Amino acid sequence: MGVYRGPVTRSLPCTTANMDNYTNPNHQAPPGAPPQYPQGGGGYPQGGQGGYPQQGAGQPGYQTGGYNPADQQQGGYPSQNQGGGQYPPPYEGPAPVMPDRPPLPSLTKITEEEAREAFLRWVSEHCCYGKGVVKDLVFESIQPSPAFHYRLESYTESRTTKWTAVPFAGGNVDGPMNGPAPQAWQILCNSPGPFQNNVQKFEVPHTASVATCHQCRGACLVRCPRCWGRGRTRCTWCHGDGRRQEYNSQTNRHESRRCNSCNGTGQRRCMTCRGHGAVPCPTCKAHGSLKKYLELTVTFHNNVKDEVVERTDLPDQLITKAQGLLCFQEEAVPTVFPVSHFPDQEVNTASKRACDQHAGAFTASRLHRQRHNVRLVPVAECRYSYKGDSHRFFCYGEDRLVWCEDYPASCCWGCSIL
């Protein structure tokens, strides 16, 4: 839960270790660091109280009870009709340093025995595939081809505000009379942990006020939506006629009789309002008043970017789900350096492309930290002959998964096409 400690003249830390003092007008960004946001209010929109939208009396049906913050100005909020806003954070962080990177592990090869066993296991998962192919096939070649799965994760925090209203049943109201509202990034908020998605909502201090409910206008009751205030509804047994057609077994004829459900009136008491014609107001929960305040939404999100470097016909999405050998992993605050030490230049290019994409994708969010890793996934293109025909399948991953397009015995003897 966010905690506000009174008016401040500097930005307060906003969670996550390794990042303090977001705003510093005398600070110069280190070489290579992301560009600083404009100073003056910590990079927030000018002309308002902390850059928040103004609460006014411009919305129809809202009447301020006692205290009207629009009359006091309090730094001048924009109107409620303009909604909320999203605020870019100020940035101050250490200069990134290129870390030492370990050598790469060697590639594991898939043998004929492993390929045949994996192929048999894959066939067993399909009820209409015959197993005779696996027993009688003759391998022609097993061509290994390493696949690299690169993943970049960027842990960001974004903050947005909007005006909201909740039923008010009495109690203290923290309004503009208690002081100016803090800026969006001055409110303390605890992160759930690195790279964990989370959404938290807070009431911005000194922005609340009490107003009469715009739906019931303080009456606490509204017209019943079922009977429209009449207190009675049409009888469902006689459909409002007051009489029903019933079969007389003695005369073998249908006779018209008075409806016993509504006693011939054609109407019954409304079960929604119990005949009163009004129900408690759903907006204010029958309290007659609403508490309006600026709500701050803090979103922690782990943004993931996958890149696959693979040179066979195997679909790339299969590589991301297969088990592989972790050959490289790195985490840094706030950004990581692209991979540049791989012998396969395509991996370096994929890492550079992903880092550049994330570098310009979160201009309205605060980047807390990044991490990336490269997994080495073994892939083998297995060619075999069966009854004089040549076929192939792919065996991939440390868990030895199989992908096959044209299995020669795809329909067993128990299947028939009518």
Side-chain angles (χ1 to χ4, degrees), residues 349-405:
T349 304
S351 176
K352 182 66 166 57
R353 181 170 58 248
C355 290
D356 290 345
Q357 180 178 350
H358 274 206
F362 312 115
T363 56
S365 303
R366 176 161 186 261
L367 181 60
H368 283 289
R369 59 178 62 222
Q370 283 184 332
R371 69 180 178 187
H372 58 171
N373 63 71
V374 179
R375 295 189 307 116
L376 180 60
V377 180
V379 177
E381 182 179 356
C382 307
R383 294 190 174 272
Y384 66 94
S385 60
Y386 176 73
K387 292 184 178 181
D389 297 330
S390 181
H391 304 275
R392 70 170 183 172
F393 68 92
F394 289 92
C395 184
Y396 63 97
E398 294 292 339
D399 45 351
R400 300 299 186 259
L401 302 177
V402 170
W403 182 73
C404 181
E405 291 181 295

Side-chain angles (χ1 to χ4, degrees), residues 11 241 393:
S11 296
D241 294 334
F393 68 92

Side-chain angles (χ1 to χ4, degrees), residues 7-91:
V8 295
T9 57
R10 61 180 183 87
S11 296
L12 299 179
C14 176
T15 62
T16 61
N18 306 317
M19 286 288 181
D20 305 334
N21 304 325
Y22 299 154
T23 57
N24 185 352
N26 300 321
H27 175 73
Q28 298 295 329
Q36 288 186 322
Y37 293 95
Q39 299 299 321
Y44 304 108
Q46 301 299 316
Q49 181 183 2
Y52 296 117
Q54 179 182 358
Q55 176 187 9
Q59 185 165 347
Y62 279 91
Q63 297 178 358
T64 315
Y67 182 78
N68 190 346
D71 297 337
Q72 301 294 329
Q73 293 302 317
Q74 293 294 326
Y77 284 95
S79 66
Q80 279 191 9
N81 294 332
Q82 295 179 2
Q86 185 173 10
Y87 306 97
Y91 172 80

